[in-house]
Amino acid sequence: QKEVEQDPGPLSVPEGAIVSLNCTYSNSAFQYFMWYRQYSRKGPELLMYTYSSGNKEDGRFTAQVDKSSKYISLFIRDSQPSDSATYLCAFLGFQKLVFGTGTRLLVSP
Amino acid sequence: NAGVMQNPRHLVRRRGQEARLRCSPMKGHSHVYWYRQLPEEGLKFMVYLQKENIIDESGMPKERFSAEFPKEGPSILRIQQVVRGDSAAYFCASSTPEVNYGYTFGSGTRLTVV
């Protein structure tokens, strides 16, 4: 079983749609949970981080963590064409981040 | 604050040559990480360094790859005798000791081996 599972997509949605991105993980030692966004040919940029089960909201983005199910989600409301990118979940364990393979999101105008 | 600076942005090497990738962390960051990203794959951890110390190199290939973070100057990822399979994007990231706030990544070096 892979340590982190993430659907690679691509996920295509129209502008204004609600987007749901998900990851599952198997390592109970992971303590912090993050989402990064990566535009083509750029470095990843941190979107959100959290350490507890529950929801965390920042503008149009909501991160959700369910530790009991080892499942995390990122929701994007009112999606925009500028949200088109690859979204990577990341998990902190033993001082280093473990990344999912990324989900490619395409938001069409 | 210039962020994490990586250079060069693009590097072309012939098989058998050496590649040197440089990374200057963000101001105030003392931890440096190197990741490799192959096409259509996620970021794979290579090595974690602090000044003059390699903390975790569990992701580094056993041969041809080395990394350092000297007391003065940038961190260097060195690949000797490059092969076509080394072609990838190499990203450097830095953090404060409170790494739970995540890393800041550079824009990467794209290595092409011809």
Side-chain angles (χ1 to χ4, degrees):
Chain A
Q1 183 186 9
K2 278 187 175 180
E3 208 168 21
V4 177
E5 299 269 8
Q6 183 175 13
D7 187 331
L11 178 62
S12 295
V13 301
E15 184 175 355
I18 296 174
V19 174
S20 171
L21 304 164
N22 312 293
C23 286
T24 58
Y25 64 98
S26 59
N27 191 337
S28 299
F30 290 151
Q31 297 177 320
Y32 287 84
F33 310 91
M34 297 165 198
W35 286 94
Y36 281 78
R37 177 175 62 194
Q38 186 176 22
Y39 291 111
S40 181
R41 301 205 161 268
K42 300 288 186 185
E45 58 177 320
L46 180 65
L47 273 179
M48 299 190 73
Y49 70 91
T50 185
Y51 60 88
S52 58
S53 284
N55 293 353
K56 182 177 180 180
E57 193 173 312
D58 184 2
R60 295 186 296 114
F61 299 90
T62 299
Q64 189 175 79
V65 174
D66 182 347
K67 286 187 178 180
S68 61
S69 302
K70 295 191 175 66
Y71 187 88
I72 70 170
S73 299
L74 178 70
F75 298 96
I76 307 174
R77 289 185 299 281
D78 187 25
S79 56
Q80 303 295 310
S82 58
D83 295 328
S84 297
T86 297
Y87 290 80
L88 300 140
C89 56
F91 303 83
L92 181 63
F94 305 108
Q95 290 287 99
K96 66 186 185 215
L97 285 179
V98 177
F99 286 86
T101 52
T103 299
R104 192 164 153 236
L105 172 66
L106 303 169
V107 181
S108 53
Chain B
N1 192 337
V4 178
M5 302 300 292
Q6 286 189 253
N7 64 80
R9 289 295 304 276
H10 301 275
L11 183 61
V12 179
R13 284 287 176 265
R14 295 187 186 279
R15 279 177 295 170
Q17 290 185 320
E18 179 180 287
R20 278 183 174 242
L21 288 62
R22 287 177 290 277
C23 169
S24 296
M26 269 186 78
K27 189 175 180 181
H29 285 191
S30 56
H31 296 209
V32 166
Y33 313 81
W34 286 92
Y35 281 75
R36 177 164 63 177
Q37 189 172 41
L38 292 166
E40 307 303 322
E41 291 190 21
L43 290 155
K44 301 295 184 188
F45 169 79
M46 299 182 75
V47 62
Y48 162 33
L49 309 109
Q50 296 176 23
K51 285 282 187 185
E52 300 185 283
N53 280 306
I54 297 174
I55 307 302
D56 182 346
E57 57 181 349
S58 58
M60 287 278 270
K62 295 286 182 252
E63 296 177 355
R64 302 188 297 109
F65 285 72
S66 63
E68 62 176 7
F69 188 16
K71 189 176 179 181
E72 303 290 338
S75 175
I76 306 286
L77 179 67
R78 184 180 175 207
I79 311 172
Q80 294 179 290
Q81 299 173 334
V82 296
V83 301
R84 288 231 169 98
D86 297 332
S87 295
Y90 291 83
F91 289 97
C92 169
S94 70
S95 76
T96 65
E98 295 77 31
V99 69
N100 45 289
Y101 294 121
Y103 303 166
T104 301
F105 278 87
S107 295
T109 293
R110 276 155 187 84
L111 173 65
T112 303
V113 180
V114 297

